[in-house]
Amino acid sequence: MPRANPPPSPPRPTGGGWPRAALLAGLALAALPAGAATPLQAPGPQGPLEGSLLPGRPMVLIIPGSGATDRDGNGPGYRPDTYRLLAEGLAARGIGSLRIDKRGLHGSRAAVRDAEAVTMADYAADIAAWAGVLRARGAGCLVLAGHSEGGLVALLAAGQLPDLCGLVLLATPGRRIGAVLREQLDRALPPGPLRAEAEGLLARLEAGQGLPEAISPPLLPLFRPRLAGFLASLLALDPPALAAAAPAPLLVLQGLRDLQVTQADAAALAAARPEARLVLLPGVNHVLKAVAEDAADNLAAYADPARPLAPGVVEAIADFLAQAPR
């Protein structure tokens, strides 16, 4: 599965209220076990897309990040349960959510034969399909909440869904992905032939030239020729321009101990929309957990589903939704 912004490898806040009825409903939902979510399907290209629904209003569609990340926020080598915890935290406030598996993966594996033969536009089309299903079920007020690469999918999909009630970008890149990847490669690779080759491959993709068949093995995890179409679609995106064009009220939430996405990314997204709300959370990492300053604790949070979401994450989203125009 495409992964252009993976979890890092070693070494190498605001508030508001909801009506009392919604709060009481949320308290009842909070007592439900995690498995109480209702399975839900949407039409995919070749088979169904699948997700897990928790009731409430408004309805938040949680869009997963890069790679083989599942509807709960977990994947190979990492299990923070970020999206499950987010859904349950929102439910405790009477806010509904749908968290989804991406086409070709996990519960949505029948949607396409090849999970790597995708583009960002494909992912955005799937979000539009999910929006249609939710609206058919009576979810009048729909909010997109994308995490990391999922925030870019949310920005793309927002252009197809002009009547959204809100758009929430969680730890989302605010620069072209080429710039982000160059920073990561500069940290991972010393100056020399391998870094020069990586730079050349990025330049080819940005120019729409695809990838050559012969690529040095250390670079293949990122630059596999099968991923050329996906990577080209990702590199073509201009996140601030997409944010400026999105018609929905915008919340940008960023942890200040994120090892993948920076405060500057969040600032660039928020600056694209003068009315956007920017929430910066000290001590919070990429998977929205509170972590110590040392890298070891930051990385440990990726594999710790028992560690709760950082204080301020759910609260900032609930406050934004309470004040967003309907």
Side-chain angles (χ1 to χ4, degrees):
M1 185 60 193
R3 175 180 290 168
N5 195 21
S9 303
R12 272 283 304 156
T14 76
W18 281 91
R20 178 171 297 184
L23 178 59
L24 292 175
L27 290 174
L29 284 167
L32 292 174
T38 302
L40 192 64
Q41 291 188 339
Q46 297 161 356
L49 301 162
E50 292 196 0
S52 296
L53 181 74
L54 285 173
R57 287 181 179 269
M59 177 60 60
V60 179
L61 203 172
I62 301 171
I63 305 171
S66 63
T69 305
D70 69 12
R71 72 185 76 179
D72 289 336
N74 305 324
Y78 55 101
R79 192 191 166 203
D81 265 7
T82 296
Y83 310 151
R84 178 186 63 79
L85 294 170
L86 177 58
E88 292 172 0
L90 293 173
R93 291 160 175 79
I95 302 169
S97 67
L98 173 69
R99 57 192 195 273
I100 60 174
D101 288 331
K102 294 188 285 187
R103 60 165 64 189
L105 290 170
H106 311 296
S108 298
R109 59 189 172 275
V112 291
R113 292 185 181 89
D114 185 354
E116 293 188 332
V118 296
T119 65
M120 292 294 284
D122 292 333
Y123 287 148
D126 292 344
I127 298 307
W130 277 117
V133 169
L134 290 171
R135 285 177 172 147
R137 293 174 58 91
C141 186
L142 180 61
V143 177
L144 301 185
H147 176 244
S148 192
E149 183 182 286
L152 301 179
V153 176
L155 285 169
L156 270 180
Q160 305 172 35
L161 301 167
D163 51 349
L164 291 174
C165 287
L167 184 60
V168 178
L169 303 180
L170 306 167
T172 297
R175 298 162 290 160
R176 287 185 179 272
I177 293 300
V180 177
L181 289 177
R182 285 182 174 90
E183 285 185 0
Q184 293 180 350
L185 289 167
D186 285 349
R187 289 195 298 268
L189 299 174
L194 203 59
R195 188 196 288 185
E197 180 183 355
E199 173 56 43
L201 295 173
L202 269 178
R204 284 179 61 106
L205 289 167
E206 290 169 331
Q209 296 173 351
L211 291 171
E213 290 187 9
I215 296 174
S216 296
L219 298 179
L220 284 175
L222 177 58
F223 292 110
R224 293 198 308 283
R226 296 181 63 186
L227 298 181
F230 172 77
L231 288 171
S233 74
L234 183 62
L235 289 162
L237 299 182
D238 183 344
L242 290 171
L250 176 63
L251 167 66
V252 179
L253 187 148
Q254 179 64 43
L256 297 184
R257 287 190 181 147
D258 191 327
L259 299 178
Q260 297 170 251
V261 179
T262 68
Q263 181 176 345
D265 287 295
L269 291 168
R273 292 273 298 281
E275 75 283 9
R277 183 178 300 193
L278 174 62
V279 175
L280 302 174
L281 296 176
V284 176
N285 76 349
H286 189 66
V287 292
L288 308 181
K289 306 288 185 87
V291 296
E293 288 188 37
D294 61 288
D297 189 58
N298 198 316
L299 295 171
Y302 282 77
D304 187 358
R307 190 182 305 211
L309 292 185
V313 172
V314 174
E315 293 82 355
I317 297 171
D319 179 64
F320 168 72
L321 298 181
Q323 298 183 32
R326 297 286 190 265

